[in-house]
Amino acid sequence: MRIDVVTLFPEMLEVLAQYGISRRAHEQGAWQMACWDPRSFAGDVHRTVDDRPFGGGPGMVLMAEPLAQCVEAATAAQRAAGCERSHVVALSASGAPLRDARVRALARAGQGVGHGVGQNTTTAAVGLVLVCGRYEGMDQRFVDACVDEEVSIGDFILSGGEIAAMALIDAVVRQLPGTMKPESVQDESFVTGRLDVPHYTRPETWRGRAVPPVLLSGHHARIAAWRQEQSLARTQQMRPDLLQDAAVPDPGSQSRTWQGAVVGQGKTD
């Protein structure tokens, strides 16, 4: 998968190829990244890429032309690398919230498998271009002319779009084939519209807190039922919004409650 990033701070993105799962996937050739600095496309000797906003107000705004030339250079490079087309995403506080389904769709498109959620048709790969804002934001004319999608990673403000871009890249890369075991990405939070289950490891008892007995029973059917119950209850407690549009049973309606830690249990002495 080819990912290009428009950023004033290319060095920030380098860590993705240096650590963890994204490093291993990069070394295996599962994804490649190139960064484009708008300063390289500035039209003056001072390499100016921002200016004061029309209408007044605090801060500075990233100028449209350097950003547009960055995107044009990135998309041209993606075509040369074999991408059928490019999808330009601006990291923006006003963008649509990034969800797991969208991450998986972007990963599939980057591999050339479908272009939308649930599609499995094989096509040429789509390159991903991420545009990182800074200061008060980007000239809206650039967004209107050059950006396909605006994405937000949460209802809070960052100093720039680089951290958001890194989060998106990490989320997408871990979905690429060979990056992780298939069962690892198929059995985690949000895949089924619910949160993941509580996890435990050795020792069996830690500071007076025991592992739920059902997990030590070796009874696979009971363990599976316990995990489903816990997933539902945990989602209801921590993220009830995920259940609003999902046809799932009420966690309290389960016919059996397995022994052990139950979601919602308060701190005990």
Side-chain angles (χ1 to χ4, degrees):
M1 180 175 185
R2 172 68 183 249
I3 302 174
D4 289 70
V5 184
V6 176
T7 171
L8 293 174
F9 301 101
E11 298 81 5
M12 290 184 65
L13 282 296
E14 292 177 359
V15 296
L16 289 167
Q18 297 173 356
Y19 301 97
I21 292 171
S22 58
R23 174 193 63 81
R24 185 170 65 247
H26 189 267
E27 291 176 348
Q28 294 171 347
W31 70 289
Q32 302 82 41
M33 180 179 67
C35 291
W36 305 84
D37 188 343
R39 294 187 187 92
S40 300
F41 298 87
D44 65 337
V45 296
H46 301 292
R47 304 177 75 198
T48 303
V49 295
D50 61 324
D51 209 333
R52 293 185 295 273
F54 283 119
M60 304 289 278
V61 176
L62 287 173
M63 301 164 67
E65 187 60 26
L67 293 174
Q69 290 193 30
C70 270
V71 168
E72 289 164 358
T75 56
Q78 290 186 346
R79 296 295 189 284
C83 295
E84 175 192 38
R85 63 182 179 86
S86 301
H87 185 73
V88 182
V89 176
L91 286 308
S92 167
S94 59
L98 184 63
R99 298 287 187 247
D100 182 72
R102 188 67 190 128
V103 167
R104 292 171 185 266
L106 290 171
R108 289 196 299 271
Q111 302 165 55
V113 181
H115 287 178
V117 177
Q119 294 184 1
N120 292 311
T121 56
T122 300
T123 64
V126 176
L128 184 62
V129 180
L130 305 179
V131 184
C132 302
R134 278 275 158 178
Y135 315 127
E136 289 300 308
M138 297 170 270
D139 190 310
Q140 186 62 39
R141 293 170 294 182
F142 160 75
V143 177
D144 294 340
C146 302
V147 172
D148 298 309
E149 179 180 7
E150 293 184 76
V151 165
S152 169
I153 63 168
D155 294 338
F156 54 91
I157 303 300
L158 297 169
S159 300
E162 285 78 12
I163 293 176
M166 293 167 66
L168 191 157
I169 293 171
D170 183 84
V172 168
V173 165
R174 65 193 303 277
Q175 299 296 331
L176 300 179
T179 301
M180 297 181 63
K181 294 180 179 179
E183 57 268 26
S184 295
V185 294
Q186 292 169 1
D187 187 20
E188 58 186 2
S189 291
F190 310 116
V191 176
T192 61
R194 302 191 298 266
L195 299 181
D196 199 3
V197 300
H199 297 284
Y200 302 87
T201 188
R202 296 178 180 177
E204 292 183 14
T205 301
W206 176 76
R207 297 188 179 184
R209 296 172 182 263
V211 173
V214 65
L215 298 179
L216 307 175
S217 68
H219 196 298
H220 298 299
R222 290 184 178 180
I223 291 173
W226 181 89
R227 284 176 170 164
Q228 179 168 333
E229 178 183 286
Q230 289 293 297
S231 175
L232 288 169
R234 204 179 207 197
T235 306
Q236 183 65 54
Q237 178 190 348
M238 299 180 179
R239 290 290 307 276
D241 57 294
L242 294 176
L243 300 178
Q244 290 176 359
D245 298 324
V248 294
D250 181 354
S253 69
Q254 297 291 324
S255 60
R256 181 180 299 180
T257 299
W258 302 112
Q259 300 178 31
V262 176
V263 171
Q265 233 177 9
K267 183 178 179 181
T268 57
D269 297 328

